[in-house]
Amino acid sequence: MSRPTVLVTGANRGIGLEFSRQYLADGWCVIATLRDPANAGDLDALDGPGELVIEPLDVTDHDQIDGLAARHAGQPIDVLLNNAGIIGPVPIPEHIEQQHFGSMDYLLWDRVLWTNTFAPLKMAEAFVEHVAASDQKKIVALSSTVGSLVERDTAAFAYATSKTALNKAMRLLASVLKERGISVGIFCPGYVQTRMDFGTAEVKPEDSVKGLRGLIADLELADSGTFQRYNGETVAW
Ligand SMILES: NC(=O)c1ccc[n+]([C@@H]2O[C@H](COP(=O)([O-])OP(=O)(O)OC[C@H]3O[C@@H](n4cnc5c(N)ncnc54)[C@H](OP(=O)(O)O)[C@@H]3O)[C@@H](O)[C@H]2O)c1
């Protein structure tokens, strides 16, 4: 039997790197994408019984997305994992004013939407046949409880609204793809120790990803379009 395949965006650091590490260790074929191959970090050094294929991809470049899909035409992708995301320029605390009321940077908001909201839908459009041809047929998006209308009021306008819109887009995608047997999962990884951490995150990437991988494994058509935290709690939104 052939190995299952996962495609991970933003695989060079943080949660995306940890997803790649764990799937590889579990024997999967991992198509690990990153926008800057010269900045591969620890990705190059990953090792495991699976197969690692590293591909350049800036998720805001739709021609690059189409090109990658064409290069992998005919290859089934069991899990399309939309992980890449930004809050804004780094270091984040030094730039967060740019998305506070009174000092909004609207071009930044546009860039955040291209990355966090448009890219996962464009990836789904480009890779839907690869996913439909697989055994597991799953599309996953990493969202945030910051995007919930009821759970939180974090006043980072660009980031928060990008995740709210992502959730709605993925919910619509779930209903559109149900008849093709494709499940869509929306997950919050928790507040995780990555570059997005403001210094107070408590969840380690390995624990977040372990929980998320379990939820992805259990994802079924009946749950498609639901929003869950990495520990399995349903997020009200
Ligand atoms: N950490 C948390 O507490 C937390 C909480 C809720 C949700 N999330 C979500 O979890 C996901 C992963 O975040 P993280 O915590 O691992 O953050 P991270 O350490 O900042 O990693 C983000 C990844 O996304 C990539 N990326 C950004 N823009 C891209 C683009 N245009 N094209 C391709 N890749 C791009 C980055 O690449 P570069 O290295 O090239 O910048 C990096 O690999 C994000 O969607 C985030 O919103 C995180």
Side-chain angles (χ1 to χ4, degrees):
M1 207 175 105
S2 62
R3 332 169 173 273
T5 297
V6 58
L7 186 155
V8 184
T9 61
N12 56 305
R13 68 169 79 240
I15 295 167
L17 178 65
E18 185 58 28
F19 266 122
S20 302
R21 187 194 319 279
Q22 291 194 20
Y23 276 116
L24 200 60
D26 212 12
W28 285 51
C29 171
V30 179
I31 304 173
T33 72
L34 73 169
R35 65 173 147 181
D36 178 10
N39 189 18
D42 294 333
L43 183 61
D44 273 338
L46 286 190
D47 200 10
E51 180 189 353
L52 179 64
V53 179
I54 298 179
E55 291 276 14
L57 179 66
D58 182 328
V59 297
T60 63
D61 184 330
H62 290 189
D63 289 342
Q64 278 191 29
I65 293 177
D66 287 335
L68 183 66
R71 282 205 300 286
H72 288 271
Q75 174 168 6
I77 294 177
D78 294 87
V79 179
L80 179 66
L81 215 169
N82 291 291
N83 163 78
I86 54 169
I87 291 183
V90 290
I92 296 161
E94 288 175 26
H95 298 276
I96 201 71
E97 281 290 320
Q98 287 171 260
Q99 48 187 300
H100 285 169
F101 181 72
S103 50
M104 277 302 299
D105 177 340
Y106 290 91
L107 289 178
L108 168 64
W109 197 345
D110 186 56
R111 188 150 61 86
V112 172
L113 287 170
W114 272 90
T115 309
N116 294 358
T117 312
F118 304 161
L121 196 66
K122 173 63 191 174
M123 287 291 292
E125 286 190 305
F127 285 95
V128 64
E129 297 307 331
H130 306 66
V131 175
S134 73
D135 289 333
Q136 299 192 24
K137 298 182 180 50
K138 295 173 184 178
I139 296 177
V140 168
L142 284 209
S143 186
S144 169
T145 51
V146 167
S148 164
L149 299 184
V150 289
E151 276 219 357
R152 277 183 186 227
D153 272 332
T154 304
F157 279 70
Y159 183 65
T161 57
S162 75
K163 294 298 192 183
T164 311
L166 170 68
N167 290 352
K168 186 65 183 183
M170 291 298 111
R171 184 77 152 239
L172 292 173
L173 184 65
S175 65
V176 169
L177 294 183
K178 205 157 213 163
E179 64 181 21
R180 300 202 65 183
I182 296 175
S183 311
V184 178
I186 312 166
F187 297 107
C188 175
Y191 187 19
V192 187
Q193 294 163 355
T194 67
R195 189 179 52 179
M196 279 197 191
D197 175 7
F198 280 54
T200 51
E202 287 173 354
V203 183
K204 292 187 187 318
E206 50 267 40
D207 296 331
S208 172
V209 169
K210 189 168 173 226
L212 291 168
R213 287 186 62 235
L215 295 174
I216 294 168
D218 290 345
L219 180 65
E220 292 180 351
L221 217 44
D223 321 312
S224 192
T226 57
F227 184 16
Q228 287 176 281
R229 238 182 293 278
Y230 76 104
N231 59 8
E233 292 169 3
T234 298
V235 182
W237 66 284

